[in-house]
Amino acid sequence: MKALVAVKRVVDYNVKVRVKADQTGVETANVKMSMNPFDEIAIEEALRLREAGKVEEVIAVSLGVQQCTETIRTALAMGADRGVLVQTDVELQPLAVAKLLKAVIDREKPEIVIVGKQAIDDDCNQTGQMLAALLGWPQATFASKLTIDGENAEVTREVDGGLETIAFKLPLIMTTDLRLNEPRYASLPNIMKAKKKPIDTKTPEELGVDPTPRLVTLKVEEPAKRQGGVKVGSVAELVDKLKLEARVI
Amino acid sequence: MAVLVVAEHDAGTLKPATLNAAAAAAELSKAGAGDVHILVAGAGCKPVADAAAQVAGIAKVLLADDAAYDHALAENVAPLLVKLASGYSHLLAPATTAGKNLMPRVAALLDVMQISDIAGIVSQDTFVRPIYAGNALATVQSKDAIKVITVRGTAFPPVEGAGGSAPVETVASTGDSGLSHFVKAELSKSERPELTSARIIISGGRGMQSGDNFHLLESVADKLGAAVGASRAAVDAGFVPNDYQVGQTGKIVAPELYIAVGISGAIQHLAGMKDSKVIVAINKDEEAPIFQIADYGLVGDLFKVIPELDEELGKRNS
Ligand SMILES: Cc1cc2nc3c(=O)[nH]c(=O)nc-3n(C[C@H](O)[C@H](O)[C@H](O)COP(=O)(O)OP(=O)(O)OC[C@H]3O[C@@H](n4cnc5c(N)ncnc54)[C@H](O)[C@@H]3O)c2cc1C
Ligand SMILES: Nc1ncnc2c1ncn2[C@@H]1O[C@H](COP(=O)(O)O)[C@@H](O)[C@H]1O
C-alpha cells in the first residue's frame, strides 16, 4: 500500500508578511519559504505508517513553480521515498490543486492520501475535502489520531466541541491537525540521500487539468492596525480602567 | 434565486454561529440575492428546525431529518446540498469545524471554488477574506455560478434568534453514502459560555505552566461570566483540551474583552483575537509582542497578578 502526501511551499510561518504597495498581493521576493507546517505533520504521519509496516512507499507531491522542488526535497530528506512535481506558473487555487492531485492519484493509486488541514498562506482549508469529493472517497479532516487496521481506519478529529472519532474504509483522504504528531527533523545524512531520490515532473496539460483560477483577486490590503494602549501599574488600576474607562466589566 | 444557510446544531439546539451566517445571508439578500432559507440536516432535529423558523428574516426552513445526517458526516450531507443547490445562488455555512468540513466537499461536487471565511461582502460575487493569518485582507471576485461560502462569525453581528415565523418544509433524504461511520465524541463539558459567542474571554498560555493552574483563570472567569481559552502552546502541552485553542488554526474570537495571560502574542495567536474590542495582556516580559496590541498591559508574574485580580473582582462584586 502506498501513501501520498501533498506538500505546499509557503512563506515561512515566522515571517511577518508585508502587503505590496500596488495591492496585488504580499511581498514574496527574498522572503524565507518553507513547507506548510501542517504538511510536515502529514509527511511525518506517512513515515510512521511506513515504519509500522502499514505502507510500503511514501510519495510527496507539490504543485506550483519550479522552486517547489525544494519543498519536495525537504520531504525526501525527512524520509519520503520519491517526489512528484506538478509544475506551473499559474496561480493555483484549492479546486485546481484538488483536480491535479486527483489526476496524480489516478496514476499512483495510493490507499491513503494525507494533506494539511490548512495552508498558512491562503488559509483556505479546502483542498483535502475537495479532493475527497472528486475521488468519491471519505474525508477524515482535522485529524489528531489515526489507527489503521487492514482496510479499516479510525480517525480522531479535533472539532469545535472537543474530539470526535469516525471510522472509515480505505482508501481515505486525511487532513492533519496540530496534535497528530511532532514532525522529525531531517538529519544531515538523510539530506544527502534525498538528493538522489527521484522526482518526476508533470504539467497540468499532461494531467489533463485546466488550472485557471476561479477566484479573481481584485486587491490585497493591510488590515487596520490596532493602536497600542497603556501599561497599568496595578491590578486595582486595571479593574478601574475596565470598569470606568472601557466599561466592559 | 435565494440564499441557503446551513444550520449549525447538535440536534437539540441551534448554535449561535448560525445567526452570524444568517447575518451574512441577510446582507447578500439586501444586495439582491433573494430570500434567505435555512437548512437543518440531522437526525431527530425537528426542535432545531422550529428554532430556525424563529430566526429573524428567514423566509423558509428546510428540514432533512434522517439517521444518515446524524453527526453531520460530510460524506452524507454534501450530496443533500448538491441536490438543493440548483435553487440557490449562494450556499453559506459558518466557518466552524463543521462548516469547514462540509462546504469544500459541496463546492468540489458543484465544480466551484469555495470562498473561505469571508469577513466582508462587497457585492453578490465579491468578498473580503483574511489571508496570511489575517495580516492581509484579500478582495476576491467569484466567477462561479453558485457561490459556496464559509462565514467568519466575528465579522457579522448575529441576526435576532427570535421574532420570525418561517414555514418548515421537509426535504427528502439523499441517504447514507456508507463511506464513514460515527464512532464516538468526547466533548468538553462546561457551564461557561462558548468561546465564539462569549462576551468576555480569559486565555492562558505556556506561562500557566500546568493544567491545574488553569483553575486560577477559571475562578476569574466565573466572576466575569467569561469563557476560558488558550494558546496553541498551552494545548500542545496538554494543559487544556484542543477546543480551547484561539488563533489562526483554532477559533476566531472577538469578544468585548479578551484577557491574555502568559501568552507571548505570536502572529498565529493574534490572528484569532485581535478584533476583540478591548484587549488586556498580563505577562512578566515587558517586551512580549502581545503588549503591542493590548489596550491595557500589566507587567507582572501571573501567579501573583491573577489571584489578586480574582480577589479584587470578588471585593467589587460583593
Ligand atoms: C501552523 C501553525 C499554526 C499555529 N496556530 C496557532 C493558533 O491557532 N493559536 C496559537 O495560539 N498559536 C498557534 N501557533 C503557535 C504560535 O506560533 C506560538 O508558538 C504560540 O502561540 C505560543 O504560545 P504562548 O504564547 O502560550 O507561548 P510562548 O510564546 O512560550 O509565551 C509564553 C509567555 O508567557 C510569559 N510568562 C511565562 N511565565 C509567566 C509568568 N509566571 N507570569 C506572566 N507571564 C509569564 C512569557 O513571558 C511568554 O511571553 C501556530 C503555529 C504554527 C506553526
Ligand atoms: N500547491 C500545493 N502543493 C501541494 N500541496 C498543496 C498545494 N495547495 C494545497 N495543498 C495541500 O492542501 C492542504 C490545504 O491547503 P488549503 O486548502 O489551500 O488550505 C495543504 O496543507 C497541502 O497539503
Side-chain angles (χ1 to χ4, degrees):
Chain A
M1 162 162 136
K2 289 190 210 174
L4 186 139
V5 180
V7 293
K8 186 176 186 185
R9 177 176 182 266
V10 298
V11 172
D12 186 84
Y13 78 97
N14 270 315
V15 172
K16 172 109 180 62
V17 298
R18 286 215 319 273
V19 171
K20 283 190 197 161
D22 66 1
Q23 299 200 329
T24 55
V26 306
E27 201 56 71
T28 51
N30 300 318
V31 165
K32 184 177 179 209
M33 304 296 284
S34 300
M35 186 190 296
N36 185 41
F38 287 101
D39 306 351
E40 294 179 355
I41 298 173
I43 287 284
E44 177 65 37
E45 197 63 18
L47 296 177
R48 289 184 190 189
L49 288 175
R50 195 187 58 199
E51 284 154 7
K54 310 260 179 191
V55 307
E56 282 89 51
E57 194 182 31
V58 176
I59 307 161
V61 185
S62 193
L63 306 88
V65 294
Q66 170 64 38
Q67 289 92 320
C68 294
T69 312
E70 293 159 23
T71 313
I72 296 175
R73 288 282 171 219
T74 307
L76 298 178
M78 286 174 76
D81 297 291
R82 60 187 172 89
V84 177
L85 170 67
V86 179
Q87 195 185 337
T88 173
D89 290 336
V90 174
E91 177 207 335
L92 292 178
Q93 294 175 346
L95 182 62
V97 173
K99 288 181 180 179
L100 292 165
L101 284 173
K102 177 179 184 292
V104 174
I105 288 164
D106 286 343
R107 284 151 204 245
E108 297 283 356
K109 308 214 179 324
E111 249 98 33
I112 182 153
V113 175
I114 313 180
V115 309
K117 87 161 172 184
Q118 176 175 341
I120 61 164
D121 51 2
D122 63 31
D123 282 333
C124 273
N125 196 332
Q126 301 178 11
T127 304
Q129 298 87 314
M130 288 186 154
L131 179 58
L134 298 178
L135 288 161
W137 290 10
Q139 60 185 57
T141 52
F142 326 144
S144 69
K145 185 166 181 252
L146 163 70
T147 40
I148 291 185
D149 182 11
E151 48 171 41
N152 299 308
E154 239 183 49
V155 174
T156 303
R157 309 177 52 231
E158 293 200 359
V159 294
D160 285 339
L163 296 171
E164 184 179 89
T165 304
I166 311 283
F168 306 91
K169 277 239 171 354
L170 299 179
L172 173 70
I173 306 282
M174 182 169 83
T175 82
T176 60
D177 216 320
L178 295 167
R179 261 67 62 176
L180 184 62
N181 60 49
E182 249 184 74
R184 68 195 64 185
Y185 291 103
S187 67
L188 198 57
N190 284 344
I191 293 173
M192 300 312 291
K193 257 197 256 165
K195 295 196 170 133
K196 297 203 193 74
K197 292 182 181 173
I199 298 178
D200 184 17
T201 303
K202 291 264 183 295
T203 62
E205 296 72 48
E206 285 170 327
L207 295 173
V209 174
D210 173 9
T212 310
R214 303 289 188 84
L215 295 182
V216 183
T217 301
L218 302 180
K219 63 177 172 192
V220 175
E221 296 163 290
E222 214 165 302
K225 274 225 165 47
R226 252 195 112 91
Q227 298 295 326
V230 296
K231 292 252 167 71
V232 294
S234 69
V235 166
E237 189 187 343
L238 174 64
V239 175
D240 276 346
K241 293 268 194 209
L242 293 178
K243 269 196 190 301
L244 306 172
E245 193 175 271
R247 297 171 185 273
V248 285
I249 61 169
Chain B
M1 283 299 193
V3 181
L4 185 64
V5 175
V6 182
E8 172 108 0
H9 66 91
D10 58 6
T13 53
L14 185 69
K15 289 284 171 70
T18 313
L19 302 180
N20 303 97
E27 262 191 53
L28 285 167
S29 178
K30 225 182 274 166
D35 285 347
V36 179
H37 301 172
I38 293 186
L39 169 68
V40 176
C45 55
K46 179 74 173 37
V48 179
D50 292 338
Q54 288 169 35
V55 173
I58 302 304
K60 185 158 79 179
V61 174
L62 303 180
L63 170 61
D65 196 337
D66 187 69
Y69 301 136
D70 206 7
H71 306 292
L73 296 170
E75 295 82 354
N76 292 351
V77 182
L80 173 66
L81 272 145
V82 170
K83 198 178 101 184
L84 297 171
S86 61
Y88 295 94
S89 56
H90 298 77
L91 306 177
L92 270 62
T96 53
T97 49
K100 290 172 183 170
N101 184 44
L102 171 66
M103 298 307 265
R105 191 170 180 107
V106 174
L109 292 173
L110 294 170
D111 193 27
V112 307
M113 228 330 257
Q114 171 177 284
I115 309 123
S116 294
D117 210 17
I118 62 162
I121 296 170
V122 177
S123 69
Q124 282 199 53
D125 66 4
T126 305
F127 309 90
V128 179
R129 56 177 307 266
I131 53 174
Y132 289 92
N135 288 306
L137 292 174
T139 302
V140 295
Q141 183 174 34
S142 166
K143 294 196 284 184
D144 290 316
I146 298 181
K147 277 73 178 166
V148 175
I149 294 169
T150 60
V151 178
R152 175 172 286 215
T154 55
F156 297 90
V159 298
E160 288 292 332
S165 58
V168 177
E169 195 176 282
T170 304
V171 295
S173 171
T174 42
D176 191 338
S177 67
L179 288 172
S180 55
H181 302 277
F182 175 82
V183 178
K184 64 174 179 194
E186 297 146 78
L187 303 182
S188 298
K189 285 189 204 73
S190 171
E191 301 294 304
R192 296 189 192 87
E194 269 187 50
L195 264 179
T196 47
S197 52
R199 205 180 67 79
I200 301 179
I201 295 173
I202 182 163
S203 287
R206 200 195 307 270
M208 294 303 298
Q209 287 180 13
S210 75
D212 276 348
N213 290 335
F214 265 76
H215 292 307
L216 299 170
L217 302 187
E218 286 163 6
S219 181
V220 172
D222 290 340
K223 292 198 174 62
L224 294 171
V228 179
S231 70
R232 173 191 173 180
V235 177
D236 281 5
F239 301 170
V240 287
N242 61 279
D243 50 289
Y244 279 50
Q245 183 180 314
V246 170
Q248 179 189 14
T249 62
K251 287 181 179 153
I252 309 289
V253 301
E256 297 266 293
L257 172 61
Y258 188 90
I259 309 176
V261 183
I263 292 178
S264 61
I267 45 176
Q268 292 84 7
H269 188 78
L270 302 187
M273 45 66 78
K274 70 176 159 55
D275 292 329
S276 305
K277 190 164 156 243
V278 175
I279 297 175
V280 169
I282 297 169
N283 196 303
K284 69 175 179 189
D285 172 11
E286 64 175 317
E287 300 290 314
I290 189 84
F291 286 123
Q292 288 165 22
I293 60 139
D295 299 284
Y296 303 109
L298 182 51
V299 180
D301 182 352
L302 73 92
F303 294 105
K304 196 171 143 285
V305 171
I306 297 300
E308 252 180 69
L309 176 62
D310 195 34
E311 200 187 304
E312 186 75 23
L313 291 170
K315 260 197 300 204
R316 302 214 191 185
N317 282 353
S318 61

